[in-house]
Amino acid sequence: MANLNDDLARYLISTVSKRSGVKSDLVRAWERRYQAVTPTRTTGGHRVYTDQDIARLKLLNQATNNGHSISQIAQYSLDELKNLLKNEVEVVPALLSAGSTSDRVYLAEDYIEKCYAAVVAFDAKTLETHFENALVELGTETFIEHLLTPLLTIIGDRWRTGELRPVHEHMTSSIIRSLTYILRNNNPCAADAPRMVVTTPIGQLHELGALLAAIIAELKGWQVTYLGANLPAEEIAAAVKFTDARAVTISISFCTDDLVVPKEIRRLKKLIGVEVALIVGGRAAGHYKAVLDEVGVLNIQGYGHFREILDELAANKPAT
Amino acid sequence: MANLNDDLARYLISTVSKRSGVKSDLVRAWERRYQAVTPTRTTGGHRVYTDQDIARLKLLNQATNNGHSISQIAQYSLDELKNLLKNEVEVVPALLSAGSTSDRVYLAEDYIEKCYAAVVAFDAKTLETHFENALVELGTETFIEHLLTPLLTIIGDRWRTGELRPVHEHMTSSIIRSLTYILRNNNPCAADAPRMVVTTPIGQLHELGALLAAIIAELKGWQVTYLGANLPAEEIAAAVKFTDARAVTISISFCTDDLVVPKEIRRLKKLIGVEVALIVGGRAAGHYKAVLDEVGVLNIQGYGHFREILDELAANKPAT
DNA sequence: CATAGCTATACAAAAGCTTGACAATATTTG
DNA sequence: CAAATATTGTCAAGCTTTTGTATAGCTATG
């Protein structure tokens, strides 16, 4: 259980004592004599501890019970303490610690494999667990950039070659949609942030691309209204009106032979007007290049490009 | 986070006290000493609180019960408090004094109105906030039963009469889907729990019903794989195979004149076999009664009935 | 006009703090 | 090996902070 609230938790010494199993007096003695923990203080002078401190004291307690001298190990880091204990008895299940950025990118690749395996195995629970762990270990940024983006690209590819079925995609979308909650929570956005609607046009049932776009935009500080897949132009336009959005992003990942998509795009642009930017992305967007150019659409070439467009749009004041 | 509806919410201290479980005197003391809440005042000087304040006090109360020092956490934001408590659910088994059940049901009605207003206003952010607060205040059970179920019914009705547009439904689904994360987290299910696949058949694009069914089943202890809307029978069957599910629930909320739905149901039943229960629900399910009876489907009559069916199925050992 | 709210002050129990001391073990050292 | 020294867990005394609750007199609201 890696806690995200290390900097949030605020305990007084009695709680710490109960949780760590080290008596209050001893906690103070360890601090006084060896700076084993260095709690902050209230204005009145009471010690204030974090979850880290508790974890630390727990480990120190175990180590001393195992015969180690407190004066020798008091200043060890959490990791050192864990190692210390691991080698003796399998007292504590060890947790990995995060490293440098490059380490994390490497780690992400590891996660991609695991996650993809879970997708293939259709194991939603495992997939979600991997995502959660990755999120903690990699941080939101790296998670999106080096895990989610490549993973979804792979899934898209394999889906086209028939290695994966549509259900795989549905299942994955489902998990990621519920993850949105954490992602959003990590990045509260300002009230005056620019607003955007994200969806897919009618006939386009694959939402992974749109989902990713929504997440990226949210991380970039946009207020995103995500509407899922398969919406007719009028509905999208209505959402734009309702939210007073400055941009609409739609994802097109599948070429249909009929003329639905071009028609929808023309209608949508007409309905939302020139004030609102229309961004189109997705694997199959290139297929409709003619319409896109004609109508005046921002055609995304990859997620890096999408980010650039977002920055530009955010920089420009609303043209009103 | 200035929500439009905060302006509407006006509670006096006694109400706040009842709902949050913190005595009036203490609420004032927390304000005076740590600015834990900062209510506005009437012209006469009486404190006026918002829903946010109530949620906040409730969380603070819980946190202090878990050993946190009030002086240290008093100024945390709602999100910070939620994070703080997320990892600690086990510490204090919910001894929450949340008032009697009937009180909560009454409260839920209040929330229904607010949530519905947010849906009409297409205000996703406010809707999500209300959901979150309601979840804290009502508890998962009451939340599902007395807020979510009736709310979705209302939305369905209004959608049919044209008062709401399809986008409203999409937006609401989107929010609820992301909430799934919390709901699931509150109810970890056993590894040997019976498994179920939930989705809607091809042509059925409305997922609210399915979503609710998924949530209810999860609360009942099932391991649910939710697949979103609009899946052909082969895909659903594949998911059943993959997950080794004991039941499939599909929601049909819209009557199409063509024969797609009956055909899909027949095919689905044939594909999954008799071992796997096929549960069909949704507003328009009755319309296809003939097929349902012919094929041997469990036709849900309301959510109470659904619960019963779930219990029965869970009780029967897998027929293998 | 009664109920519920407000301010201000007070109080007491619980929990903290510091300092310093004291045995009971370890560890060094002569 | 024994004496000297260091380490370590505990305690106690005396004082302060935190925190929930209570009292008293006055005021707003329905």
Side-chain angles (χ1 to χ4, degrees):
Chain A
M1 222 183 297
N3 287 322
L4 301 171
N5 30 337
D6 287 340
D7 31 345
L8 289 177
R10 296 281 136 102
Y11 306 97
L12 291 177
I13 201 167
S14 63
T15 309
V16 171
S17 169
K18 273 179 220 147
R19 299 245 174 117
S20 68
V22 184
K23 287 192 200 157
S24 300
D25 281 322
L26 196 47
V27 173
R28 281 190 286 259
W30 283 358
E31 177 193 342
R32 172 168 22 108
R33 307 210 256 237
Y34 322 106
Q35 296 81 51
V37 280
T38 51
T40 54
R41 301 288 189 126
T42 69
T43 46
H46 286 194
R47 274 162 256 251
V48 177
Y49 299 84
T50 66
D51 276 325
Q52 295 253 357
D53 293 324
I54 294 180
R56 199 183 166 64
L57 287 166
K58 252 188 211 161
L59 292 170
L60 285 173
N61 191 29
Q62 283 180 47
T64 53
N65 286 340
N66 280 13
H68 289 274
S69 149
I70 183 63
S71 60
Q72 296 307 303
I73 61 169
Q75 308 216 347
Y76 279 16
S77 71
L78 261 189
D79 288 323
E80 286 170 320
L81 287 171
K82 283 173 194 158
N83 277 327
L84 191 63
L85 290 167
K86 190 165 51 177
N87 296 336
E88 288 162 9
V89 206
E90 68 296 357
V91 198
V92 170
L95 282 180
L96 300 174
S97 69
S100 69
T101 313
S102 61
D103 274 355
R104 279 197 262 154
V105 172
Y106 177 72
L107 245 179
E109 286 170 21
D110 214 42
Y111 270 116
I112 292 177
E113 277 179 36
K114 283 191 216 156
C115 290
Y116 182 68
V119 171
V120 173
F122 207 81
D123 187 341
K125 219 165 182 182
T126 304
L127 181 60
E128 185 168 18
T129 308
H130 284 324
F131 278 151
E132 282 176 7
N133 291 343
L135 206 45
V136 173
E137 243 184 301
L138 304 176
T140 318
E141 288 287 316
T142 316
F143 176 79
I144 302 290
E145 190 133 1
H146 297 281
L147 171 52
L148 213 47
T149 309
L151 179 66
L152 298 196
T153 307
I154 293 175
I155 292 178
D157 289 344
R158 301 293 159 85
W159 178 81
R160 221 160 311 104
T161 66
E163 282 174 75
L164 293 178
R165 311 185 60 131
V167 253
H168 287 106
E169 206 229 1
H170 275 242
M171 186 268 277
T172 310
S173 312
S174 188
I175 301 292
I176 296 178
R177 275 184 93 153
S178 75
L179 268 192
T180 310
Y181 182 78
I182 321 180
L183 292 169
R184 188 175 319 156
N185 248 20
N186 284 356
N187 261 57
C189 68
D192 60 342
R195 284 186 277 275
M196 169 184 295
V197 169
V198 178
T199 182
T200 78
I202 209 164
Q204 291 288 322
L205 302 177
H206 299 282
E207 61 173 331
L208 279 184
L211 203 43
L212 189 50
I215 294 173
I216 291 175
E218 239 167 60
L219 279 187
K220 277 275 175 196
W222 287 67
Q223 253 180 87
V224 176
T225 303
Y226 181 75
L227 296 175
N230 196 39
L231 272 178
E234 295 81 28
E235 294 302 317
I236 303 177
V240 172
K241 280 259 167 55
F242 280 134
T243 59
D244 191 26
R246 195 190 297 178
V248 179
T249 301
I250 62 179
S251 163
I252 302 176
S253 42
F254 198 65
C255 304
T256 51
D257 288 336
D258 52 42
L259 295 174
V260 174
V261 170
K263 207 160 125 193
E264 286 292 304
I265 289 179
R266 282 202 195 87
R267 272 170 60 209
L268 178 55
K269 186 63 194 176
K270 196 169 283 173
L271 285 164
I272 61 177
V274 280
E275 305 275 292
V276 180
L278 176 55
I279 307 174
V280 176
R283 184 90 31 184
H287 194 255
Y288 301 99
K289 194 165 183 312
V291 205
L292 302 186
D293 288 344
E294 169 204 326
V295 177
V297 155
L298 296 168
N299 186 4
I300 305 177
Q301 316 292 339
Y303 291 106
H305 185 211
F306 183 48
R307 277 171 227 265
E308 284 172 30
I309 290 180
L310 289 181
D311 286 338
E312 273 174 42
L313 281 175
N316 296 344
K317 281 273 163 60
T320 328
Chain B
M1 248 164 277
N3 289 315
L4 303 174
N5 288 44
D6 282 351
D7 303 337
L8 299 176
R10 306 243 144 159
Y11 307 104
L12 288 179
I13 200 165
S14 61
T15 313
V16 171
S17 169
K18 269 181 224 146
R19 293 203 189 163
S20 67
V22 183
K23 288 191 198 160
S24 299
D25 282 326
L26 196 48
V27 172
R28 281 191 285 259
W30 282 0
E31 177 191 341
R32 172 168 25 101
R33 305 211 256 238
Y34 321 108
Q35 296 81 52
V37 281
T38 50
T40 54
R41 301 290 188 124
T42 67
T43 46
H46 284 196
R47 272 162 255 253
V48 177
Y49 298 84
T50 65
D51 281 313
Q52 298 261 346
D53 292 325
I54 294 179
R56 195 184 169 65
L57 286 166
K58 199 152 188 165
L59 292 168
L60 284 173
N61 192 25
Q62 244 176 290
T64 52
N65 286 340
N66 277 11
H68 291 274
S69 153
I70 181 62
S71 62
Q72 296 307 302
I73 61 170
Q75 306 212 349
Y76 281 5
S77 71
L78 258 191
D79 284 330
E80 285 172 320
L81 287 171
K82 282 175 200 153
N83 278 329
L84 193 60
L85 290 167
K86 205 183 294 175
N87 300 331
E88 303 179 0
V89 193
E90 341 88 34
V91 181
V92 173
L95 269 179
L96 297 180
S97 58
S100 73
T101 313
S102 64
D103 271 356
R104 282 198 257 157
V105 172
Y106 176 72
L107 245 181
E109 285 170 20
D110 214 43
Y111 270 114
I112 292 176
E113 277 179 36
K114 285 188 207 153
C115 290
Y116 182 69
V119 171
V120 172
F122 207 81
D123 187 342
K125 221 167 180 180
T126 302
L127 180 60
E128 186 168 17
T129 307
H130 283 324
F131 277 150
E132 284 177 6
N133 290 345
L135 207 44
V136 172
E137 256 195 282
L138 305 176
T140 319
E141 287 288 317
T142 316
F143 176 80
I144 302 290
E145 189 132 0
H146 297 281
L147 171 52
L148 214 46
T149 309
L151 179 66
L152 298 195
T153 308
I154 293 175
I155 292 178
D157 289 345
R158 302 292 158 87
W159 179 80
R160 222 160 311 105
T161 65
E163 282 173 74
L164 292 177
R165 311 186 60 134
V167 253
H168 287 108
E169 205 231 1
H170 275 240
M171 185 268 276
T172 310
S173 312
S174 188
I175 301 291
I176 296 177
R177 277 185 90 151
S178 76
L179 270 192
T180 309
Y181 183 77
I182 323 179
L183 291 170
R184 186 174 323 155
N185 249 22
N186 285 356
N187 261 56
C189 66
D192 61 342
R195 284 187 277 273
M196 169 184 294
V197 170
V198 178
T199 183
T200 78
I202 210 164
Q204 291 289 323
L205 303 176
H206 300 281
E207 58 174 329
L208 280 183
L211 205 41
L212 189 50
I215 295 173
I216 291 175
E218 238 165 64
L219 278 188
K220 277 275 175 197
W222 288 67
Q223 252 181 87
V224 175
T225 304
Y226 180 75
L227 296 174
N230 195 42
L231 273 178
E234 295 81 29
E235 295 302 318
I236 303 177
V240 172
K241 280 260 167 54
F242 280 134
T243 58
D244 192 25
R246 194 188 299 177
V248 179
T249 300
I250 62 178
S251 163
I252 302 177
S253 41
F254 199 64
C255 304
T256 51
D257 289 335
D258 51 42
L259 295 174
V260 174
V261 169
K263 207 159 122 193
E264 286 290 304
I265 290 179
R266 281 203 195 88
R267 272 170 59 208
L268 179 54
K269 186 62 194 174
K270 194 168 286 175
L271 286 164
I272 62 177
V274 279
E275 305 276 291
V276 181
L278 177 54
I279 307 173
V280 176
R283 184 91 30 187
H287 194 255
Y288 301 99
K289 194 163 181 317
V291 205
L292 302 186
D293 288 343
E294 169 203 326
V295 177
V297 155
L298 296 169
N299 186 5
I300 304 177
Q301 316 292 339
Y303 291 105
H305 184 210
F306 182 47
R307 277 171 228 266
E308 283 171 29
I309 291 181
L310 290 181
D311 285 338
E312 274 174 42
L313 281 175
N316 294 345
K317 282 273 166 62
T320 327

